[in-house]
Amino acid sequence: MTAGVRLLALSLALIVLFMLAAGVAGGARAQAPDAEAGDFGGGDEPAAHVPWTGEVATPDEGTSSLAGTPFDPARLALLPQLRVGLVLDPAAGDFDRAAPFREALERGLRLPVLLVAYRDLSRLQRALVAGEVDYAPLSASAYAQAQRMCGCLVPLLSPRAGDGSAGWHAVALVARDSPLQRLADLAGARVATGPLQSTGARRVPLAALAAEGLDAERDLAALVAHADPLAAADAVRRGDADVSFGWSSLRGDVAEGYSRGTLRDIFERDGAAASLRILWASPPIPNAAHAARDTLPEPIRAAIVELLSETAEGEGGFEAARAISPFGFVPVEAQDYAPVLATFDGQDGAPAGRLRPLSPPR
């Protein structure tokens, strides 16, 4: 390590200490209640905080860190600073990638915005539950579990996918000539699922089965987890299972397996239409949830929704936010995540790893 690098690291460390002492980064760090090992990936270990590099404006400066953009006194009276949590990897250049998002939020909201980096999704989830940040993007399952744990979150927006869809559906797949026609027919069936913690390819369909009065352990002939939804679908195609669980956008060309999802994966791999049909599909489930704590003043929440929703139309000069969602956002409500919320009781393992809001549901 060169002397210059060591000096920079020392300077950043001193800035962190000053910010913590002054309460800029959120004051004392409350700990979320522990559940099973892995719930937050860290037990009692506090979440890793990496203040955003670059200038961070404070309320008494009167203007944002973007020259010429005055803060709104009325909003400052409601909230001195908006703390936004993100999963970022400084070594991968994520600071530079997300910098336009902070700048656009600060310019549009006319509030000081502090971005706080976390090393993985479970720590980001923990930070939002504990009140260390005011607002953060979570996967659908991470939001649902956090909401079951604290009842303190309000989903604001969800990013669009490249095909224009604002969400996805969990699906049950059977052979085209299968006599099975509905979920209630699955008593005595052999069912193939995705991994045990898969939201679309296991948890949501099993919750739907339970709503039909079927108990998986009691009423199914077999319930076998596979490495992914594609492997589960292959079990049906081989005749090793009667039903598989997966996911689909239910948008686009049916003959090509729709635009995204398990059937699309089969089509792209095999180059032909899948020999499966959809027995059942869940209500639409939004993509990732950009969620805020309910303690964030409602006018600020509304301003965030109004600001970021503009990107869905591609107008209004707010292209910088597309660094976070290249295809824009759509407003969402808690009821939109009902199929996923139904699968969490507050004691399940939390998601791990980096958040990729538009990746296929896992």
Side-chain angles (χ1 to χ4, degrees), residues 4-47:
V5 173
R6 284 195 294 268
L7 179 60
L8 176 59
L10 178 60
S11 299
L12 289 176
L14 291 174
I15 292 173
V16 173
L17 292 174
F18 173 79
M19 291 172 66
L20 291 176
V24 174
R29 301 296 186 238
Q31 296 297 315
D34 291 330
E36 296 178 0
D39 254 13
F40 293 101
D44 290 327
E45 177 190 359

Side-chain angles (χ1 to χ4, degrees), residues 97-112:
R97 178 177 60 83
F101 182 61
R102 187 197 71 81
E103 295 169 357
L105 276 179
E106 192 164 87
R107 182 187 299 112
L109 297 176
R110 297 175 65 193
L111 274 175

Side-chain angles (χ1 to χ4, degrees), residues 31 33 38 56 61 69 90 95 107 130 139 213 221 265 306 310 343 352:
Q31 296 297 315
V56 177
E61 287 177 328
T69 303
F95 281 170
R107 182 187 299 112
S139 68
D265 291 342
E306 181 180 2
E310 293 178 3
T343 73

Side-chain angles (χ1 to χ4, degrees), residues 143-161:
Y143 157 74
Q145 189 204 26
Q147 182 68 339
R148 285 297 188 219
M149 294 178 66
C150 72
C152 63
L153 304 183
V154 179
L156 304 180
L157 300 134
S158 181
R160 288 187 184 275

